[in-house]
Amino acid sequence: MIENALDLMLVLGADGVILRANGAARVLLGYEPGELLGKHYTALLPPEQHAEALEVQASLRNGHPERPDFPMQVRRRDGQVILMAAAVRWSASHQRIFLSARDATERQRARQALVRSEMALNSMLESIGDAFFAVDGDWRLTYANQKAGDFVGLDAAAAIGRPLMELVPDLLQSSALPRYRRAMETREADTFETLWEPRQVWVETRTYPNGDGLSVYFHEVTAKRAAEQALRKSEQRFRKLLNQAGDSIMIVDEALRIVSVNDQACARFGYSREEFARMQAADINFGYPETQALLDGLRAGQAQLLRLLKRCKDGSTFPAEVQVSRFDDEGEEFFLAVIRDVSERERAEQQLRASEQRLREVIEMTPAGYLLAGREGALQDVNPALCALSGYPRAMLLALRLDDLFVSSPLAPGIGDTGGSEGATVLQGAEAVLRHRHGHHIHVLLNASIKRDAGGQPLSLTGLMTDITGRKAAESRLHELATHDTLTGLPNRALLGERVQQMLDACPPGNSVAIMFLDLDRFKEVNDSFGHEMGDALLCEVAARLRRVVRPTDIIARLGGDEFVVAAHCASGQPAAARIADKLLDVLTAPVKVGGSDVIVGASIGISMYPQDAQTRELLFQTADTAMYRAKDAGRNRYRLFEPAMTVATQERMALEVSLRPALARGEFELHYQPRYALDGMRLVGMEALIRWNHPQRGQVSPQQFIGIAEETGLIVAIGRWVLEEACGRTRRLIDQHGRTMVVSVNVSARQLAQAGFADEVRAALARTGLPPGCLELELTESALIEDIERTASMLRELKLLGIRLAVDDFGTGYSGLAYLRRFPIDVLKLDRSFVLQDDGNGSTFDFVKAFVDLAHALGMAVVAEGVETGDVLDFLRAARCDEAQGYYLARPMVLEKLEALLATPSAPAV
């Protein structure tokens, strides 16, 4: 039985030498049983397990004669190491050790798979949008994700196994608890909303019985409930306003059935709402058929104003003015009718007709020109004001027709031959042009009314007009101002859009139109150096030069600032556009006299081609603008033709910007810390705080991808404020925890430094976190320092008064000068890695760095080397008397937990 057993069985002497082995040694270890005899059992174990094995052997003979199950790694004959589960016993009477073992590799793999499965499940529960917790039948917490813990202010992991009511005593007073208990008792799922009073928020909860316990998912719905309540209040306000309206209001559907009315309609017509709901619009109209033309006009988006009789429930009628419009509600068509009773108005009109004589006197005295024309357009009556306006005496005017008097007019056909809107009855505020007796034209504002017969044919026309010639001249001037740039006289953005659209509409098939966006490269320098008047003169000169080199059919416009646009027909496509761009660059790089000095401005040009790059005006402008920025990025004073890849990059950047805006509020940022060591003794003296963005979809986004966007959008101010607060708070806790002083270095952007209250922000962060000022170092770039030297110097002096340290980051990559640093209270220069690693054959790198360090020391500044990646570089920096260093050779950036572990060990790295 022993020889044929599947488990390995060995008999060992008291000294651990193998005395007997069964046949399982062949299968499990690859040894013949005879080969193992005489070997010490440790020959089968990896060296790292020898000490443990000898310890087990000693314990067997010192009071613990049995070890029923312990894992051990065994080396097979072929060198492979396998995991085995062993049982061993010492027999004092036989002075022998008896050992049996079996292969536990598969069992270990199954156990690891189970662990991975549990980790995946936990990860999924942590990543869902809802808070989640589960309890067993005794109401003890079996699991809770971090969202659930955060909601009630608990550490979810530490709460596992404790009674739910003990963890969240507020639940005893909550209306949610009875629902939980009912779900536990009935084993039925439930969904409900409840107010969580401790936080005064509404929560939507879903409960699911499972096993002998209960799983609960919940999330906050306070905003949703508020929106629903606001909607209900809005609907109530709308209904109240509708019922308080003085006019009757009706809504009818596409079949012209009445679906809703207000209180005024019920009162005026005598029907209840229930009766109206069974009626059609035609039931209250008297002698007016709903024509298809009316419906077509409404469906074309044209509101209709109608005059018709309305019939009441008692059979009486009243004249009404009805404003009808159409609207859609979730795909259904409706018509809104506002009905105004004009009975009083008609009585007033009758009184007006009765006083026609008095009205005639008014017409004679009115300063507006008056005329009455018959069916054929012959003038039948005029007043003195029209005679004065036209230069004709009354007798001569009455011998004329409308088309003799008007050069152009919007009057209806059939009243002379003046053209216009067929079927128009009333004309209000229309413009027309009179032909003066002496030949010149007079612009008038015309109000006219056409009287028609029963067939709709015009019978007569009555019109009043006032002279607006002066106003038209003013409007023409205003139009010029509205469509042209007042400085250069070029078309502005509005007129550019119209003319470019005309070019696109007229572009023959196979031809192209080029849209070129120009941005002057050095205009800001001219403005800052010579003043705005000289800047305006430069813009006028640029506009004049552009006019000289483009064709008469091309368009030049100024968008504003130093941005210009050229639109040109290009029969041969891109080659023609490139030739035009070359001409523009040539003329713009010629010197310009500004303030007595010759200035060369140059330009960056982006070109988009129609229809190759875009087929709409808006997209052409967008793609040309994109190409222009690529030209600037490529070194300026050049042009770039649009390529689809540019849009992809722009869209990618925009998508990243959209994600970046809420990232801070969502808590997606974290800080990593890269330790910094003093080269004298290799002591850990501080660390640099480095921001990391954990994007919910993209994963960890490199700072090189989003810091530039944050700078451009201004988001860097809020992000930088968070970094400062977080770094100070964490460093304070590290100092308290480990009892050692250390300095945290925080990067500061130019935008932050430009904020007037930046020093106050730093002061407040130090006060809130309790970090000693000497433990905070702010890192500034060279470009940030010299952007406004006077203002920067003042800000740095204010910061130094707080007691903090100031450092220049990546020194040598910007302006590479020490002279200007003497104006700033700088404590530390961080030497860029490129200075340490450069080897251009022009001299000794060591001598250069040594001289740099000596000069910095002479100025009272410390030097920190960045990017140390090898031991040779570290030795090199020590020899050059560099003060401190950081880099991958010393330590990579790490999360706070790893930094704490590093601080708990001896501080010097293994170098």
Side-chain angles (χ1 to χ4, degrees):
M1 290 177 62
I2 292 174
E3 283 301 317
N4 290 286
L6 298 178
D7 291 348
L8 175 66
M9 294 186 181
L10 299 178
V11 178
L12 311 178
D15 57 357
V17 173
I18 300 174
L19 304 177
R20 179 78 179 271
N22 70 342
R26 297 188 191 91
V27 177
L28 297 177
L29 303 181
Y31 287 100
E32 289 296 328
E35 291 182 277
L36 296 177
L37 301 184
K39 291 181 179 288
H40 195 275
Y41 72 91
T42 56
L44 299 177
L45 305 179
E48 58 270 19
Q49 280 218 326
H50 287 182
E52 181 183 358
L54 293 174
E55 183 181 342
V56 170
Q57 179 184 349
S59 69
L60 292 174
R61 302 184 63 178
N62 295 317
H64 301 283
E66 292 185 1
R67 287 291 294 271
D69 185 16
F70 70 92
M72 66 178 184
Q73 291 182 330
V74 178
R75 190 192 307 275
R76 289 170 47 88
R77 184 174 186 178
D78 57 9
Q80 178 186 357
V81 176
I82 63 173
L83 181 67
M84 301 191 77
V88 62
R89 182 181 181 199
W90 162 251
S91 173
S93 61
H94 293 88
Q95 291 292 299
R96 295 287 187 269
I97 298 173
F98 297 94
L99 179 146
S100 63
R102 63 180 55 180
D103 191 344
T105 303
E106 290 303 320
R107 185 175 69 179
Q108 178 69 8
R109 288 174 181 165
R111 184 177 299 147
Q112 291 173 347
L114 178 61
V115 170
R116 287 195 298 272
S117 175
E118 291 178 349
M119 291 176 63
L121 177 60
N122 291 344
S123 177
M124 180 185 70
L125 291 175
E126 287 297 329
S127 63
I128 61 175
D130 285 0
F132 168 81
F133 70 90
V135 295
D136 60 16
D138 295 327
W139 294 94
R140 290 184 176 276
L141 191 68
T142 58
Y143 183 81
N145 66 4
Q146 192 56 47
K147 292 184 179 67
D150 293 342
F151 187 80
V152 296
L154 290 175
D155 181 350
I160 302 300
R162 295 175 59 188
L164 181 63
M165 307 311 168
E166 176 185 313
L167 292 169
V168 192
D170 291 325
L171 193 58
L172 294 170
Q173 308 301 323
S174 170
S175 60
L177 184 58
R179 303 293 287 262
Y180 292 166
R181 286 174 171 162
R182 185 170 65 188
M184 182 77 85
E185 293 167 0
T186 63
R187 312 310 294 165
E188 293 179 356
D190 191 11
T191 300
F192 58 91
E193 290 184 5
T194 185
L195 177 67
W196 181 248
E197 294 195 1
R199 291 180 54 185
Q200 287 298 301
V201 296
W202 284 90
V203 177
E204 181 183 280
T205 304
R206 303 188 305 280
T207 60
Y208 301 96
N210 58 55
D212 65 342
L214 191 67
S215 297
V216 180
Y217 298 82
F218 65 91
H219 62 273
E220 185 179 341
V221 293
T222 305
K224 184 188 78 171
R225 289 180 64 93
E228 291 172 349
Q229 185 177 8
L231 179 60
R232 287 193 295 272
K233 288 184 178 179
S234 176
E235 290 175 347
Q236 291 171 359
R237 287 196 297 270
F238 172 75
R239 176 59 61 182
K240 186 175 181 180
L241 289 172
L242 193 68
N243 287 326
Q244 290 179 345
D247 296 330
S248 299
I249 299 176
M250 294 184 180
I251 298 176
V252 301
D253 62 16
E254 59 183 352
L256 303 184
R257 295 187 297 264
I258 299 173
V259 296
S260 181
V261 296
N262 68 344
D263 292 346
Q264 181 64 21
C266 294
R268 185 65 186 88
F269 286 88
Y271 294 103
S272 67
R273 280 188 168 83
E274 292 73 17
E275 291 173 317
F276 268 126
R278 297 190 293 271
M279 298 171 62
Q280 291 207 333
D283 295 336
I284 60 171
N285 289 340
F286 185 77
Y288 183 85
E290 286 79 9
T291 65
Q292 188 61 42
L294 172 63
L295 294 177
D296 291 343
L298 291 170
R299 286 168 179 152
Q302 302 167 356
Q304 303 290 326
L305 181 65
L306 308 175
R307 288 286 294 269
L308 37 103
L309 284 177
K310 293 291 183 179
R311 181 189 289 112
C312 298
K313 184 176 182 179
D314 60 7
S316 62
T317 61
F318 65 91
E321 185 176 84
V322 183
Q323 178 80 28
V324 187
S325 58
R326 175 189 174 278
F327 67 93
D328 285 328
D329 184 11
E330 296 184 353
E332 295 187 59
E333 181 181 56
F334 294 94
F335 301 96
L336 174 68
V338 180
I339 305 167
R340 175 166 295 177
D341 186 347
V342 293
S343 302
E344 292 298 328
R345 187 193 304 173
E346 285 206 347
R347 283 192 287 272
E349 289 173 353
Q350 291 172 0
Q351 293 173 358
L352 286 175
R353 285 192 294 271
S355 61
E356 183 177 349
Q357 182 58 41
R358 292 193 299 274
L359 178 61
R360 179 66 195 178
E361 294 175 359
V362 171
I363 290 175
E364 289 294 324
M365 292 185 293
T366 184
Y370 161 80
L371 62 81
L372 174 65
R375 179 191 295 269
E376 301 303 324
L379 295 182
Q380 297 175 350
D381 191 14
V382 296
N383 70 345
L386 184 61
C387 295
L389 186 63
S390 64
Y392 290 98
R394 178 182 175 85
M396 292 183 68
L397 275 176
L398 294 179
L400 299 177
R401 294 166 50 85
L402 286 175
D403 52 358
D404 296 327
L405 180 62
F406 285 96
V407 177
S408 65
S409 167
L411 299 177
I415 301 292
D417 297 318
T418 54
S421 303
E422 184 174 359
T425 299
V426 177
L427 206 63
Q428 294 286 340
E431 293 186 7
V433 179
L434 287 180
R435 184 182 292 108
H436 194 272
R437 180 184 180 185
H438 299 304
H440 60 271
H441 294 169
I442 299 173
H443 293 270
V444 296
L445 195 65
L446 176 65
N447 294 329
S449 174
I450 299 175
K451 185 177 181 181
R452 299 181 183 276
D453 60 19
Q457 295 300 313
L459 297 175
S460 64
L461 177 144
T462 303
L464 289 171
M465 62 199 76
T466 54
D467 187 357
I468 59 169
T469 304
R471 193 189 81 182
K472 291 296 291 183
E475 287 178 353
S476 177
R477 174 56 182 160
L478 288 174
H479 181 265
E480 177 73 15
L481 294 174
T483 57
H484 287 75
D485 175 41
T486 55
L487 177 65
T488 63
L490 294 175
N492 62 9
R493 186 184 298 271
L495 185 57
L496 171 69
E498 294 178 12
R499 293 191 176 177
V500 167
Q501 190 60 54
Q502 293 168 3
M503 290 181 72
L504 301 184
D505 294 341
C507 182
N511 283 17
S512 299
V513 174
I515 303 298
M516 305 183 185
F517 270 43
L518 290 78
D519 189 272
L520 303 183
D521 289 336
R522 301 185 62 198
F523 177 71
K524 185 178 184 303
E525 296 178 26
V526 172
N527 242 6
D528 293 344
S529 302
F530 298 98
H532 290 288
E533 289 188 9
M534 292 296 100
D536 289 348
L538 174 61
L539 292 174
C540 291
E541 174 61 21
V542 168
R545 291 187 181 189
L546 295 177
R547 285 192 184 99
R548 288 199 297 270
V549 297
V550 302
R551 298 165 298 189
T553 56
D554 297 337
I555 300 171
I556 314 170
R558 180 184 174 220
L559 297 184
D562 59 346
E563 294 183 329
F564 294 82
V565 176
V566 173
H569 287 286
C570 297
S572 61
Q574 288 188 352
R579 288 193 293 272
I580 295 172
D582 285 331
K583 289 181 181 179
L584 297 176
L585 289 175
D586 286 343
V587 76
L588 292 179
T589 51
V592 181
K593 272 293 190 205
V594 177
S597 301
D598 284 338
V599 174
I600 297 176
V601 288
S604 298
I605 304 176
I607 306 172
S608 181
M609 303 299 298
Y610 170 86
Q612 297 92 325
D613 297 329
Q615 298 186 0
T616 65
R617 179 185 65 197
E618 292 76 10
L619 281 177
L620 282 167
F621 287 174
Q622 180 181 329
T623 50
D625 192 47
T626 298
M628 181 196 72
Y629 280 104
R630 293 299 179 273
K632 281 189 174 295
D633 293 341
R636 306 194 176 201
N637 197 36
R638 63 193 65 212
Y639 68 85
R640 283 288 181 271
L641 292 159
F642 173 76
E643 298 173 3
M646 296 179 181
T647 298
V648 173
T650 301
Q651 291 173 345
E652 174 70 16
R653 183 194 178 284
M654 291 177 65
L656 206 58
E657 179 181 334
V658 170
S659 299
L660 184 61
R661 291 187 179 277
L664 184 59
R666 293 175 179 172
E668 295 174 4
F669 294 117
E670 68 173 337
L671 291 185
H672 287 195
Y673 301 88
Q674 184 170 32
R676 206 163 86 186
Y677 290 90
L679 297 184
D680 179 13
M682 294 308 298
R683 293 170 292 106
L684 194 158
V685 294
M687 61 275 185
E688 181 176 359
L690 302 169
I691 190 168
R692 296 293 185 265
W693 180 14
N694 296 316
H695 193 285
Q697 286 81 40
R698 300 169 183 259
Q700 193 165 99
V701 180
S702 167
Q704 286 76 14
Q705 291 180 265
F706 71 86
I707 290 297
I709 298 175
E711 288 273 6
E712 293 177 21
T713 58
L715 295 172
I716 194 67
V717 175
I719 294 173
R721 187 180 303 120
W722 176 85
V723 171
L724 178 64
E725 189 88 19
E726 179 77 0
C728 289
R730 297 291 186 185
T731 305
R732 171 74 262 185
R733 286 191 286 275
L734 288 174
I735 292 173
D736 293 342
Q737 181 180 350
H738 296 279
R740 56 188 295 182
T741 301
M742 60 189 70
V743 176
V744 63
S745 183
V746 177
N747 290 280
V748 175
S749 73
R751 273 186 178 264
Q752 287 178 271
L753 200 60
Q755 298 291 313
F758 178 64
D760 293 333
E761 288 185 10
V762 176
R763 182 184 296 107
L766 293 171
R768 280 192 294 269
T769 61
L771 182 70
C775 293
L776 174 62
E777 179 179 285
L778 299 183
E779 291 191 19
L780 316 164
T781 62
E782 292 182 74
S783 57
L785 288 175
I786 68 165
E787 190 167 290
D788 184 343
I789 291 179
E790 294 302 327
R791 189 187 175 286
T792 300
S794 175
M795 174 63 74
L796 296 187
R797 285 192 292 270
E798 188 176 354
L799 290 170
K800 280 299 293 180
L801 290 176
L802 301 178
I804 66 173
R805 291 157 47 111
L806 299 175
V808 179
D809 191 19
D810 296 333
F811 185 79
T813 60
Y815 294 85
S816 303
L818 285 169
Y820 73 87
L821 292 177
R822 299 186 65 182
R823 302 187 60 179
F824 305 127
I826 301 299
D827 301 295
V828 177
L829 293 181
K830 298 195 74 174
L831 185 62
D832 186 73
R833 60 178 297 176
S834 60
F835 270 63
V836 176
L837 301 178
Q838 68 181 354
D839 185 11
D840 53 11
N842 293 328
S844 169
T845 301
F846 174 80
D847 292 341
F848 176 82
V849 174
K850 182 68 169 60
F852 172 84
V853 171
D854 291 344
L855 184 56
H857 287 170
L859 292 173
M861 302 175 191
V863 179
V864 177
E866 298 181 296
V868 177
E869 297 184 0
T870 66
D872 291 341
V873 171
L874 188 65
D875 293 339
F876 166 89
L877 293 170
R878 282 173 173 159
R881 294 181 60 245
C882 184
D883 299 288
E884 298 176 17
Q886 64 186 75
Y888 283 5
Y889 181 71
L890 297 169
R892 291 176 175 267
M894 59 188 69
V895 296
L896 183 65
E897 291 76 10
K898 289 188 177 181
L899 179 62
E900 290 175 339
L902 180 64
L903 290 171
T905 62
S907 60
V911 295

